[in-house]
Amino acid sequence: MFEKSAYQKSVPIEEEWSEETVVVQAGRPERVPTAPMNTPITLSSTYIHPALIGYARDGNEVWAALEIALGELDGGYAISFASGLAAASAIAELIPASGTLVLPRASYYGVKNIFDILSKRGQVKLRFVDGGNTEEVIANIPGADMVWMESIANPTLVVADIPAIAAAAKANGTISVADATFATPMRQHPIALGADIVLHSATKAIGGHLDLLLGIVVCKSKEHAAVIDSYRHDRGATPGSLEAYLALRGLRTLSIRIDKSEESALELSKRLKAHPKVKAVYYPGLEGDSQYAIAQKVLPKGAGSMVSFEIDASPTKVDEMLGNLKLIAHTTSLGGVASSIERRTRWPAEEAAGVPMTLCRFSVGIENVEDIWRDLKSVLG
Ligand SMILES: *Cc1c(COP(=O)(O)O)cnc(C)c1O
């Protein structure tokens, strides 16, 4: 594994700096005369000998800058990938051949799909659990090689009890993984809560502008990081340097974007809950939500920008309503500056059984909250 510091010298991070400062400063080039403020994008597949990075699959300065920043925020060794799913595939490499994985039944469909494929090939055995039932998750850990958590879960917004599950995993010699895409590095640090591995789809809030695909794995141990890093090199799951640059540029404003989106998400979840056409609202930051107590423990700063809710209408009618929105984009994906919404079971083959038919996954952007509400109200009636 490359020591990133060998080819990417970056500004030192002061111990007393808050995360709001670290997210802006970490991974910037060392401040020496003539140094640029940002690591330049290098578009070259190969380099003249002798070179530390010989071929573009070996490493890239902008990946290193992004990884230094995310490693600093999450307290581990970060490795960037072509997408969140490429990053999840790399994590699967830590499970020994025919090993056992404990996986929430309602995990993000793409992650579940990776493990279904591996399971069909006999490469992994799966123990499905209810990710929101901590006792059930813990009861399934003995003898397992890895336990997967999603905090906060997509699209059910169930919050995993990372400290309890990670502690049980540690006691059993099981690797614990937390997909923290919804929480973002501004709201949760799974490694500090006891997890071994963190996954972020930077396609979502880290990138934040709906213009790239990128995934991040952060490892507590150098040994795990070496395996993940080799996987990227050997299987070629590398990010583009332009994408890495954009993800890092997005990361710089994550702190203020999440503050704004989250404030609106809380307000909108309250208004949705009071609306007669809305059957149910799922937002872990909302008092009275089934996940509120656990969220207070593992997401003390706030519950982020994602809200799910069910509309009291037929699925066809709900799709029609979402199609009539003018401000909120009727589209998949999430975490952008622009609000977006999707009825998840419009993908019946992909979305987990048990996700309600009219559940709308709503990604709250940074637009004016009253404008967003007016748009929602105009279609809800
Ligand atoms: C989108 C997403 C992924 C997959 O990331 P891609 O960048 O789309 O490959 C993984 N986990 C969660 C929770 C996601 O929302």
Side-chain angles (χ1 to χ4, degrees), residues 19 73-74 150-152 159-160 162-163 178-193 198 200 297-302:
E19 274 169 12
L73 283 166
D74 263 345
E150 231 176 88
S151 178
I152 310 158
V159 181
I162 298 179
D179 181 340
T181 298
F182 274 28
T184 86
M186 299 315 298
R187 290 294 177 264
Q188 189 177 62
H189 300 299
I191 290 176
L193 296 175
V198 187
H200 295 291
K297 190 165 115 181
V298 301
L299 295 154
K301 287 190 187 164

Side-chain angles (χ1 to χ4, degrees), residues 13-64:
I13 298 303
E14 302 287 326
E15 199 64 50
E16 66 270 22
W17 284 355
S18 80
E19 274 169 12
E20 292 169 344
T21 304
V22 174
V23 77
V24 174
Q25 296 292 338
R28 288 195 184 276
E30 198 180 25
R31 232 156 271 166
V32 294
T34 79
M37 277 301 286
N38 300 292
T39 303
I41 302 170
T42 309
L43 295 174
S44 187
S45 57
T46 188
Y47 300 82
I48 306 298
H49 290 310
L52 193 54
I53 304 170
Y55 188 53
R57 208 183 326 108
D58 301 340
N60 178 281
E61 291 89 341
V62 192
W63 304 350

Side-chain angles (χ1 to χ4, degrees), residues 83-86 108 111 150 152 154 179 181-182 199 201-204 213-215 334 361:
S83 67
L85 288 190
Y108 174 72
V111 166
E150 231 176 88
I152 310 158
N154 177 359
D179 181 340
T181 298
F182 274 28
L199 168 66
S201 169
T203 308
K204 315 294 169 52
L213 282 183
L214 195 132
L334 54 103
R361 187 186 66 192

Side-chain angles (χ1 to χ4, degrees), residues 26 32 43 50 61 117 137 140 148 193 217 222 233 246 265 285 309 316 324 332 343:
V32 294
L43 295 174
E61 291 89 341
I117 293 167
V137 177
N140 277 276
W148 197 276
L193 296 175
V217 180
K222 218 170 181 171
H233 176 269
L246 290 173
F309 61 97
T316 319
N324 287 332
T332 199
R343 185 178 66 83

